[in-house]
Amino acid sequence: MISKKQFPKTRWLTWRSPRFSFRLDRRVPNVLLGLALVTLMGMVWSLGQGEYPVSPLDVIKTLVGWPTANSDDGFIVNTLRLPRTLVAWGVGVALAIAGTLTQGITRNPLAAPDIIGVNAGAALAAVTLIVVFPGVPVALLPLAAFGGALTIALLIYFLAWNEGSSPMRLILVGIGFSLIAGAITDVMITFGNIYSVSQALVWLAGSVYGRSWEQLGAFLPWLIGFGLLAGLMSRELNALQLGDEVARNLGSRLELQRAMLLLSSVALAGSAVATAGSIGFVGLMAPHLGRQLVGPSHEGLLPVAALTGGALVVLSDLIGRLAFAPIELPCGIITALVGAPYFLYLLIRDRQP
């Protein structure tokens, strides 16, 4: 349930028509602008790092098509580094939206796709493809991960069903499936071909190293399509926060809306895992940070959480490249180092009266 304390008196940007109305916290545009600037600065800095450093000014010139002193800057920035950085941003956006949807569906601020088993299902399907069918095209990886995530999500949904889908049962059943999928993944890694297994292990750590335009192109339709669907259903998420009975009284088609939101969350999480591996805790942290910035209303929370998630993964990838250079740490390790203590902090905070 949402209390009045969760909706402080703020000034709202509103727009109404006979068929549509929209309300947005006035803080949202400024927060989005700030997050966009932080992300852009992180991207420019990241694009200049590597064996052949490129100055920030030359990075900007290269991106806008202006000539630089080094003729190789175009190839280094646009071909080798830009796809990686864009994939990092897109994966962070997808995981953040998926986490926001999961927390909204379950009405539990500690829920996230990687905690309730969706990411584990996607990882199992993708590892199966990498280990058992190593020669498959890159474009099939998101489809396989989506299939694995959707299978786990449907099993969770049906096994948690008891005259309705209880948010608490969804979480508890999801944790069980997460453990099962993780165990099967470990078995496949134990008995798989050493070369394929080494690729799978790097992928499971969560990394955007070596990502290409082809992989970005395979991922973008999932991000754009289901990200827009999530945005269009943000008002339904607000209704779900009031509780099932109140939502029904307000005219919400509860199970249909919950199923559509769950499908969007699964598709975004599955495609993100397929593209960059298991990057944990982004789906948990980004919605919490977004609520601290703009409050719990999902019309503003979804875009703010999305940009927060994108910035988190871009900066984590940058830190992973610089912390122990020339050795690169996968960005999933950085997000875990930050996210695990943050998760414990949330548990301790919510335990206090």
Side-chain angles (χ1 to χ4, degrees):
M1 296 289 288
I2 291 182
S3 66
K4 292 181 180 179
K5 292 181 180 179
Q6 290 177 285
F7 282 100
K9 293 182 179 180
T10 57
R11 300 177 66 183
W12 299 86
L13 298 170
T14 58
W15 186 83
R16 291 184 176 88
S17 71
R19 295 185 178 181
F20 182 75
S21 64
F22 186 77
R23 186 175 73 163
L24 193 68
D25 193 304
R26 286 187 177 273
R27 294 174 291 180
V28 172
N30 292 332
V31 171
L32 290 176
L33 179 60
L35 288 170
L37 290 175
V38 170
T39 303
L40 287 174
M41 288 188 291
M43 285 182 168
V44 170
W45 191 6
S46 180
L47 290 171
Q49 302 302 312
E51 186 177 353
Y52 298 97
V54 181
S55 69
L57 181 60
D58 285 341
V59 168
I60 295 172
K61 286 182 178 179
T62 302
L63 292 176
V64 299
W66 293 350
T68 62
N70 189 347
S71 59
D72 294 331
D73 286 349
F75 174 76
I76 293 171
V77 172
N78 293 326
T79 304
L80 299 181
R81 297 177 184 171
L82 185 57
R84 170 181 181 158
T85 303
L86 292 177
V87 164
W89 179 80
V91 164
V93 169
L95 291 174
I97 296 176
T100 306
L101 295 180
T102 303
Q103 292 177 11
I105 294 167
T106 60
R107 298 199 300 273
N108 189 322
L110 298 179
D114 47 336
I115 293 174
I116 68 169
V118 173
N119 283 12
L124 174 58
V127 167
T128 301
L129 213 62
I130 292 172
V131 174
V132 181
F133 307 102
V136 297
V138 172
L140 290 181
L141 204 56
L143 289 173
F146 172 70
L150 182 61
T151 300
I152 292 293
L154 290 175
L155 288 171
I156 294 170
Y157 196 80
F158 288 126
L159 289 178
W161 182 274
N162 184 15
E163 298 180 358
S165 52
S166 165
M168 182 56 65
R169 285 196 299 272
L170 285 172
I171 294 173
L172 294 176
V173 174
I175 292 173
F177 272 107
S178 178
L179 296 173
I180 293 171
I184 297 173
T185 302
D186 291 340
V187 169
M188 295 192 65
I189 288 175
T190 301
F191 293 101
N193 176 271
I194 186 63
Y195 176 73
S196 299
V197 166
S198 63
Q199 287 184 308
L201 287 174
V202 173
W203 180 86
L204 281 172
S207 174
V208 292
Y209 175 79
R211 295 305 180 265
S212 64
W213 288 109
E214 180 185 5
Q215 290 165 307
L216 179 63
F219 170 59
L220 277 181
W222 298 80
L223 173 62
I224 295 171
F226 287 98
L228 289 175
L229 178 61
L232 292 173
M233 297 190 69
S234 58
R235 296 183 65 188
E236 281 71 19
L237 269 175
N238 287 336
L240 290 177
Q241 303 313 293
L242 300 172
D244 290 2
E245 191 63 33
V246 175
R248 287 193 185 96
N249 292 335
L250 291 174
S252 296
R253 292 176 292 181
L254 195 63
E255 296 306 331
L256 175 62
Q257 291 172 356
R258 190 172 280 157
M260 291 295 293
L261 290 166
L262 183 62
L263 176 65
S264 299
S265 175
V266 166
L268 289 167
S271 59
V273 170
T275 305
S278 299
I279 300 178
F281 293 103
V282 175
L284 174 72
M285 291 189 292
H288 277 279
L289 295 173
R291 289 187 192 94
Q292 293 176 2
L293 292 171
V294 297
S297 179
H298 285 86
E299 289 96 340
L301 175 60
L302 270 174
V304 168
L307 287 191
T308 302
L312 283 173
V313 179
V314 168
L315 295 177
S316 294
D317 183 46
L318 177 61
I319 293 170
R321 295 168 65 186
L322 296 179
F324 299 98
I327 298 173
E328 291 192 13
L329 291 179
C331 56
I333 293 178
I334 305 301
T335 59
L337 288 173
V338 176
Y342 188 73
F343 181 63
L344 294 175
Y345 157 73
L346 292 176
L347 286 173
I348 295 171
R349 187 193 66 179
D350 292 345
R351 185 185 64 182
Q352 295 174 350

